[in-house]
Amino acid sequence: MTGENEDYIKERYQEVKEKVTYKDFLKDLEDIKIENVDAPFLTQQQLIDMVIEKYAEHENIQQTHTNQIQPISSLIEGNGNISIQGRLISISNIKTFTTKKGREGKVANLTVEDNSGKIRVVMWTDNMKYMNRIEEGNIIKVNNLEVRKGYTGDLEVQMKNNSSIQVLPEEVDPSLPKYEEKITNLSDITEDGEYNIIVRIKKISTLREIIKGEKTLQIITLEIMDKTGTLEFTLWNKDTKLVDTLELKEHDTIKIIKARAQQRYDQITLSNSWNGRIIKNEYDVPDFEEEILKIGYAEEKEDVTIIGTITKIYDTITFTKTDGNEGHVRSIEVTDETGSIRVTLWNKETEIEMRKGDIIKIEGGSIEFDDYAGDGYRLNTGWNASITINPELDTKLREKLELVDTIGIVKIENVLDLNEDEGREVDVVGRIITTNDTREFERGDGSKGQIKSIELADETGIVRTSLWDEKVDITEKLGDAIKIENARTRIGQGQMELSVGKSSRITTPTDEEIVNLPSYENIEQDRYNDRTISQLEENETNTKLRVRILNINEINTFTRTDGRDGRVRSIYVADETGEIQVSLWDDDTEIKFTKGSAIIIENPNITRQNTKLRLSIGNGSTIRAARQEEAEKMLSLTEIENKLYVEKYIEDIEEDDQHIKIKGTISEINSEKIIYTMCPNCNIGITQDENGYICNECGEKIEKPNYLMIISTTLQDETGTVQATFFRKDAEELISTTTEKVVAIYEQTGDESAMSSKLEDMIGHEVTIIANANFNEYDEDIRLNVRQLVIVV
DNA sequence: CCCCCCCC
């Protein structure tokens, strides 16, 4: 050891003197020298660096010798700001990924070799600018690196934002190992290993997904060929994106550096290696001619290619695979100038965007005989079939396929044509103009089914359409335009209807497809005749009323003849010409309207009960809140009431007067019996005897009757007196209590006159009422039935 | 910050 050397060692020792004695430091240096006896190129300085590194804290990265070139084998985890120089022996493709924060990132790997060893260099998003300056075989210097332990435990160097790559001339270091890019013929690949190959792409499979435990693996297989043979080359997971980023197409020629060969199932398969690269370029590889099977000549055969026009698309069906995972299958029909064939698509393939009329190319399918397929044959896409929508075609073939008749959208008047056979499969575009509730039913085999009926309209007509099972869950609402493919026609109620089941497909029509579709408002206007309440006639159909709600009764439940429970609710609506009772049934009883709400009623059933018309909201009727612009054109509730309710003096009341307004003072009140008991089944008055309540109508013994409050009064104004009877709610309002409370008082006291004094207190109060007049035959006078108590003073 | 293994 020279004095100069010793001074240098002592000087460097100062950096770690807190952590180790000088004696131990020298011993470490000797050990390092022995360990590196087969690396004579290491300088004294580098050896001392390695000793110091041993004592440096991991966080306290050694940066005293910034960007000095380090021999690869001397790199130590934690070294920062170092450079390496060597032969670039591999460049990977750029992979894209998404960081946990959702940002797009890029990563690529280089392998650099110097005389001491080789190492992986990791390039990140910001370093990609150096990519197009480098090539395998270059001598490069990479600056500002950090040494880290990689995923597999080996050391690697990572580039940072300020890292750089310089390409250096060969003279810099002629001693470096040479780079040799040996190209192997496919037929010579018989053993596991890494090979450089130049090939032509014959087929690119559709992306497949395989669920393996927690992970979903993605796979695309390329069928590749050279003049000596054909092999499969697999892209895994993120590598599958290379098909798009490198714009790989069938017939392209590519060079693959470091394709990884593996024996599997007695076959060699190639896959993309993490440090290999696919380079798309014009290479001299023989081309292949594709044999395209004419669909009319289909027979049982594997690995066939067809090109045709999509003439039918059925809906995707989801099923459970034997491994418990979900599977998807979809049928389409493909037609060329010689015939049509049913094609079955599986899983990921069912998600490929396609429309009727698109041209589809399917390679690697197999044709099987199938009893269920119309023409007896079915093309099943195997596990590595390739599907291309609207592929590049030569003009001649394109012209032929464009002649294929794709049955387009059928107008609804054509669907309705009874001269056509039922059971036709048609495509329609229409607007939903009525929707009914979903109904559940049970099939013969005991399974549950669902059905919902809607009406679809276009500019030519309206067709009733039944949606079955999962199709009831359409998200489109009243007024929306929808397209239904493969709906089946069938005769129901003497008319042609449409049935939308499993294989029918509901989609959103294109703008072009709805150019002629009238708006919901226009369809509605054409369909329904505007009426006021006074214009309505018995049994008239397709009427439309714009009314406001006057009154909402409670829901009554009843039992249908078939034993099912039913619900009914009456509401009273009015316009400026009159008022009318409307019956709502079952789910329709759950209304969100309130008194005064503006509502639209379309196509109600109009029936006559005694002298009055009544409306009922049945199947095919709609009741809905008026839209704001509709409501704005209607009179307010007060305006309607003022027009409707004519105020009269008592002496002017006539026997047919309906909803007249009377203002009078209570001069007499019946303070005796005001509670009546009713049969809950028949709503007929019943009386109690020693056996309890028995209904004369139904003969049932009644446990708990319904109670009805009726209060008779005599009203007086300056012109005369009239008897006015308050029922139910109006009676409750009159004496400011509830029927329930009155019943409770009677039950407690057992005294039918317990309410007398409270009732008599009403004498002298002035009331304003809306009432109907009727002639009492017995007393030969006119009486009033109170419809509404407006005010009590 | 990527993840080299992995499927019929």
Side-chain angles (χ1 to χ4, degrees):
Chain A
M1 221 180 268
T2 68
E4 204 187 304
N5 263 342
E6 226 177 314
D7 285 345
Y8 180 67
I9 294 168
K10 275 182 180 158
E11 187 203 311
R12 295 296 312 274
Y13 168 69
Q14 301 307 309
E15 296 175 35
V16 289
K17 64 175 192 224
E18 322 269 305
K19 294 177 179 159
V20 62
T21 63
Y22 186 58
K23 205 176 145 203
D24 285 346
F25 184 76
L26 289 176
K27 192 175 174 299
D28 284 338
L29 185 57
E30 281 314 305
D31 290 346
I32 293 273
K33 277 182 183 166
I34 293 161
E35 274 170 39
N36 289 286
V37 72
D38 55 356
F41 46 82
L42 290 176
T43 63
Q44 164 125 322
Q45 181 213 317
Q46 287 165 344
L47 291 166
I48 293 173
D49 281 348
M50 287 159 80
V51 175
I52 289 174
E53 203 63 60
K54 191 176 149 189
Y55 293 102
E57 295 289 338
H58 182 77
E59 309 77 48
N60 182 16
I61 289 169
Q62 262 299 324
Q63 296 186 343
T64 44
H65 306 279
T66 302
N67 285 330
Q68 288 210 13
I69 296 167
Q70 307 278 350
I72 287 168
S73 70
S74 74
L75 296 175
I76 294 170
E77 186 183 358
N79 277 152
N81 284 5
I82 58 109
S83 298
I84 60 167
Q85 181 174 310
R87 182 79 68 188
L88 177 54
I89 59 169
S90 80
I91 306 172
S92 77
N93 285 115
I94 298 171
K95 280 198 226 182
T96 56
F97 62 92
T98 312
T99 63
K100 286 182 193 103
K101 286 178 183 166
R103 297 238 302 272
E104 278 292 301
K106 287 181 181 167
V107 62
N109 299 296
L110 308 178
T111 312
V112 174
E113 183 173 25
D114 69 9
N115 285 312
S116 75
K118 52 185 166 187
I119 196 159
R120 170 189 182 190
V121 179
V122 186
M123 298 173 76
W124 299 104
T125 314
D126 295 325
N127 313 124
M128 294 307 163
K129 53 180 178 272
Y130 294 106
M131 257 305 180
N132 50 17
R133 301 181 197 173
I134 54 176
E135 237 176 89
E136 290 92 347
N138 289 157
I139 296 176
I140 59 169
K141 181 169 178 246
V142 193
N143 302 306
N144 263 328
L145 294 167
E146 208 170 285
V147 184
R148 295 231 197 117
K149 199 168 265 177
Y151 182 71
T152 50
D154 294 338
L155 288 187
E156 62 188 31
V157 285
Q158 303 244 358
M159 290 183 76
K160 296 184 292 180
N161 286 353
N162 59 354
S163 297
S164 61
I165 300 178
Q166 292 164 268
V167 177
L168 303 173
E170 190 63 27
E171 306 88 78
V172 167
D173 192 351
S175 74
L176 282 173
K178 295 281 173 282
Y179 173 76
E180 205 189 342
E181 191 175 276
K182 189 181 168 243
I183 304 294
T184 307
N185 286 329
L186 292 187
S187 63
D188 294 334
I189 301 176
T190 52
E191 283 173 38
D192 290 8
E194 286 183 340
Y195 301 90
N196 303 322
I197 54 176
I198 293 178
V199 296
R200 191 179 290 278
I201 301 173
K202 282 184 81 175
K203 195 170 82 186
I204 302 174
S205 81
T206 309
L207 175 78
R208 270 180 304 138
E209 282 186 345
I210 295 161
I211 295 165
K212 208 192 169 203
E214 297 287 279
K215 281 203 283 188
T216 302
L217 308 177
Q218 296 185 308
I219 305 172
I220 289 179
T221 313
L222 307 189
E223 196 177 303
I224 54 171
M225 59 164 285
D226 66 7
K227 61 180 185 295
T228 69
T230 298
L231 277 178
E232 258 175 23
F233 177 77
T234 308
L235 295 170
W236 287 96
N237 303 327
K238 293 207 169 71
D239 281 348
T240 57
K241 290 196 232 167
L242 290 172
V243 172
D244 282 339
T245 53
L246 299 177
E247 296 180 6
L248 300 183
K249 302 252 165 27
E250 283 160 15
H251 292 280
D252 283 349
T253 54
I254 52 175
K255 175 158 84 177
I256 306 174
I257 295 173
K258 289 182 184 294
R260 212 163 52 93
Q262 269 183 306
Q263 289 253 17
R264 260 185 157 273
Y265 305 104
D266 268 348
Q267 265 189 325
I268 288 277
T269 52
L270 299 173
S271 61
N272 194 34
S273 137
W274 64 273
N275 59 356
R277 180 153 77 123
I278 302 170
I279 304 154
K280 179 172 151 172
N281 211 332
E282 295 284 331
Y283 296 104
D284 181 23
V285 182
D287 207 345
F288 62 96
E289 215 168 297
E290 205 165 25
E291 196 191 320
I292 293 161
L293 180 79
K294 288 297 166 199
I295 293 170
Y297 303 109
E299 55 180 2
E300 285 194 284
K301 198 178 172 201
E302 295 208 340
D303 196 18
V304 297
T305 298
I306 62 165
I307 299 180
T309 304
I310 299 173
T311 41
K312 273 180 190 172
I313 302 177
Y314 295 92
D315 211 358
T316 300
I317 292 168
T318 303
F319 60 94
T320 308
K321 293 195 283 191
T322 43
D323 66 5
N325 289 315
E326 249 183 26
H328 301 278
V329 61
R330 149 173 278 170
S331 288
I332 60 173
E333 186 191 70
V334 178
T335 306
D336 69 8
E337 72 279 16
T338 65
S340 296
I341 193 165
R342 181 74 66 100
V343 175
T344 313
L345 307 174
W346 299 94
N347 304 317
K348 266 286 185 202
E349 294 168 348
T350 64
E351 294 167 26
I352 298 172
E353 289 241 8
M354 56 180 80
R355 284 187 161 266
K356 244 177 159 171
D358 282 345
I359 292 172
I360 189 171
K361 178 175 177 185
I362 303 167
E363 296 160 88
S366 59
I367 296 179
E368 298 156 10
F369 189 79
D370 178 9
D371 284 336
Y372 295 98
D375 295 321
Y377 288 104
R378 182 163 68 102
L379 180 85
N380 204 341
T381 58
W383 58 274
N384 64 349
S386 162
I387 294 172
T388 320
I389 304 296
N390 297 324
E392 281 173 34
L393 293 180
D394 62 78
T395 333
K396 245 169 82 184
L397 183 56
R398 174 168 296 281
E399 281 170 359
K400 272 189 202 168
L401 290 177
E402 273 165 1
L403 288 178
V404 168
D405 196 13
T406 309
I407 295 162
I409 295 157
V410 167
K411 291 291 172 208
I412 287 174
E413 68 181 354
N414 176 292
V415 174
L416 294 170
D417 188 350
L418 283 164
N419 295 320
E420 296 277 357
D421 287 336
E422 66 174 324
R424 275 198 301 159
E425 269 185 3
V426 295
D427 293 1
V428 292
V429 167
R431 214 174 272 290
I432 302 175
I433 57 160
T434 37
T435 64
N436 285 294
D437 296 323
T438 297
R439 204 159 49 73
E440 290 215 344
F441 63 91
E442 203 169 299
R443 293 198 169 78
D445 64 0
S447 63
K448 289 253 187 320
Q450 289 183 300
I451 183 171
K452 178 196 190 89
S453 78
I454 61 172
E455 280 179 304
L456 278 189
D458 67 7
E459 70 278 21
T460 69
I462 297 167
V463 64
R464 189 184 138 96
T465 303
S466 303
L467 310 176
W468 297 89
D469 297 319
E470 60 268 36
K471 293 294 191 297
V472 305
D473 296 326
I474 55 165
T475 50
E476 287 83 358
K477 303 176 304 298
L478 198 70
D480 287 349
I482 60 169
K483 179 176 180 181
I484 305 178
E485 289 177 29
N486 318 310
R488 207 172 275 281
T489 64
R490 58 155 200 195
I491 295 172
Q493 298 171 12
Q495 280 194 341
M496 210 54 103
E497 300 181 349
L498 285 177
S499 185
V500 177
K502 245 195 188 65
S503 61
S504 310
R505 183 162 173 254
I506 299 174
T507 58
T508 307
T510 60
D511 290 344
E512 204 180 311
E513 285 167 339
I514 57 169
V515 161
N516 292 321
L517 201 63
S519 70
Y520 178 61
E521 286 73 15
N522 289 344
I523 295 171
E524 232 186 355
Q525 249 169 40
D526 286 350
R527 179 173 199 204
Y528 299 120
N529 306 313
D530 277 318
R531 291 285 184 268
T532 61
I533 288 174
S534 65
Q535 289 169 332
L536 291 176
E537 287 180 27
E538 189 179 353
N539 296 328
E540 190 182 4
T541 57
N542 290 330
T543 57
K544 176 175 177 178
L545 290 167
R546 299 149 202 272
V547 291
R548 282 194 193 265
I549 295 189
L550 285 183
N551 240 320
I552 300 171
N553 283 4
E554 296 302 309
I555 296 175
N556 284 320
T557 55
F558 62 94
T559 306
R560 292 196 167 81
T561 44
D562 65 3
R564 284 181 305 132
D565 283 338
R567 283 171 293 162
V568 60
R569 186 205 283 272
S570 293
I571 63 172
Y572 293 86
V573 301
D575 62 15
E576 61 275 25
T577 71
E579 67 162 329
I580 194 161
Q581 182 181 336
V582 185
S583 302
L584 306 174
W585 306 91
D586 300 314
D587 286 347
D588 281 341
T589 58
E590 293 158 17
I591 51 172
K592 293 180 189 72
F593 314 125
T594 53
K595 184 173 171 173
S597 292
I599 60 166
I600 307 289
I601 297 175
E602 284 157 346
N603 195 29
N605 298 321
I606 308 174
T607 54
R608 182 173 296 282
Q609 192 135 8
N610 303 324
T611 58
K612 286 189 186 169
L613 293 183
R614 275 195 188 199
L615 305 182
S616 175
I617 304 302
N619 250 334
S621 316
T622 49
I623 179 164
R624 61 172 172 85
R627 282 188 293 271
Q628 192 172 345
E629 65 271 21
E630 291 172 315
E632 277 165 4
K633 290 182 200 144
M634 290 162 63
L635 295 183
S636 71
L637 183 63
T638 320
E639 287 167 329
I640 289 173
E641 283 179 343
N642 286 340
K643 289 214 172 197
L644 225 47
Y645 305 146
V646 182
E647 190 161 352
K648 281 201 167 187
Y649 288 115
I650 289 174
E651 72 169 0
D652 298 331
I653 298 173
E654 287 172 52
E655 66 174 72
D656 288 332
D657 278 348
Q658 298 292 299
H659 42 73
I660 49 172
K661 196 182 207 173
I662 301 293
K663 197 192 264 184
T665 308
I666 298 175
S667 60
E668 285 173 45
I669 191 158
N670 168 21
S671 59
E672 296 303 319
K673 183 175 172 63
I674 61 167
I675 294 291
Y676 296 83
T677 45
M678 316 270 289
C679 168
N681 304 321
C682 318
N683 264 336
I684 296 283
I686 51 175
T687 48
Q688 194 170 21
D689 61 18
E690 62 275 14
N691 301 318
Y693 293 103
I694 304 280
C695 175
N696 290 332
E697 179 76 14
C698 61
E700 297 275 323
K701 185 168 163 23
I702 308 303
E703 291 300 327
K704 195 180 179 325
N706 281 350
Y707 294 100
L708 169 65
M709 180 150 68
I710 302 174
I711 302 173
S712 298
T713 62
T714 306
L715 301 186
Q716 180 175 21
D717 68 6
E718 56 265 48
T719 67
T721 61
V722 66
Q723 208 182 97
T725 311
F726 292 78
F727 299 89
R728 295 189 174 86
K729 276 195 124 51
D730 300 309
E732 290 181 343
E733 262 178 63
L734 182 69
I735 56 170
S736 308
T737 184
T738 65
T739 307
E740 227 174 20
K741 281 183 186 159
V742 176
V743 169
I745 289 169
Y746 286 157
E747 279 173 355
Q748 263 170 35
T749 61
D751 177 5
E752 288 235 328
S753 60
M755 291 295 295
S756 297
S757 64
K758 187 173 172 70
L759 286 161
E760 277 154 17
D761 283 350
M762 294 308 299
I763 291 173
H765 281 267
E766 188 187 81
V767 295
T768 304
I769 58 169
I770 309 296
N772 292 340
N774 56 68
F775 188 72
N776 181 310
E777 305 273 349
Y778 185 76
D779 286 328
E780 297 195 332
D781 62 1
I782 290 172
R783 294 188 177 177
L784 295 179
N785 284 336
V786 177
R787 293 293 315 279
Q788 193 188 333
L789 174 60
V790 182
I791 197 165
V792 189
V793 184

